[in-house]
Amino acid sequence: MLILFKVGNTDYTANILNDETYNVKKNDEYDVWRDANRVEHKKKVRTRVAGSFNLKFRDEASYTSFLETLAAEKQAEEYYPCSIYCNDTKTVENVNLFINFEPVLIQDSSMQLRFKEFPVEVRER
């Protein structure tokens, strides 16, 4: 099975329910400058994995487990060791990612708490 998103040794691919939201790529980054003749120059300095996708957790326990995994894997400089699939290269990259997300919690008609699908943004350190 293809790994889309794994934090440490925990795979969260099954929590990416909507494949259309998955947009993770390797992007080239450049130093750009203009010379005295106003000619633009560009030099590639690195490639960085970045993108976004939506996650959904079926219940509070699975979301709590996700938070516990993040807490256990978090490094001193606020990044996480991850494996992530890049759409443009069709490869799984093992990289250190900054992860940002804002979960959406709702209360349904039976007064149970549920998590809606929410966006996650990732960016290589």
Side-chain angles (χ1 to χ4, degrees):
M1 182 172 150
L2 179 66
I3 294 171
L4 293 180
F5 178 57
K6 186 169 148 182
V7 180
N9 294 318
T10 308
D11 190 356
Y12 291 101
T13 301
N15 296 90
I16 300 172
L17 302 178
N18 185 351
D19 293 8
E20 293 177 9
T21 68
Y22 194 86
N23 183 21
V24 177
K25 302 185 296 185
K26 289 178 83 169
N27 300 304
D28 293 334
E29 294 186 358
Y30 300 91
D31 278 339
V32 180
W33 73 95
R34 290 183 187 223
D35 63 21
N37 292 321
R38 309 286 296 157
V39 175
E40 188 173 290
H41 300 270
K42 195 160 118 171
K43 178 182 176 189
K44 181 178 167 182
V45 292
R46 71 169 290 176
T47 301
R48 185 187 311 259
V49 174
S52 63
F53 51 89
N54 286 358
L55 278 182
K56 176 155 177 71
F57 293 94
R58 289 171 179 78
D59 53 36
E60 189 173 354
S62 60
Y63 176 69
T64 300
S65 176
F66 174 66
L67 293 180
E68 289 169 351
T69 299
L70 289 178
E73 295 293 336
K74 189 177 201 177
Q75 303 299 304
E77 294 181 15
E78 304 290 318
Y79 64 85
Y80 305 87
C82 297
S83 298
I84 194 157
Y85 180 80
C86 295
N87 289 343
D88 56 339
T89 60
K90 297 183 179 181
T91 58
V92 175
E93 301 292 329
N94 295 312
V95 293
N96 294 319
L97 294 176
F98 296 114
I99 301 172
N100 294 311
F101 61 95
E102 292 185 27
V104 180
L105 182 66
I106 60 171
Q107 192 171 29
D108 63 19
S109 58
S110 63
M111 304 306 282
Q112 297 294 318
L113 294 177
R114 291 187 306 112
F115 288 91
K116 290 180 69 175
E117 189 171 325
F118 59 89
V120 176
E121 291 184 12
V122 295
R123 183 173 176 269
E124 186 177 357
R125 164 175 194 242

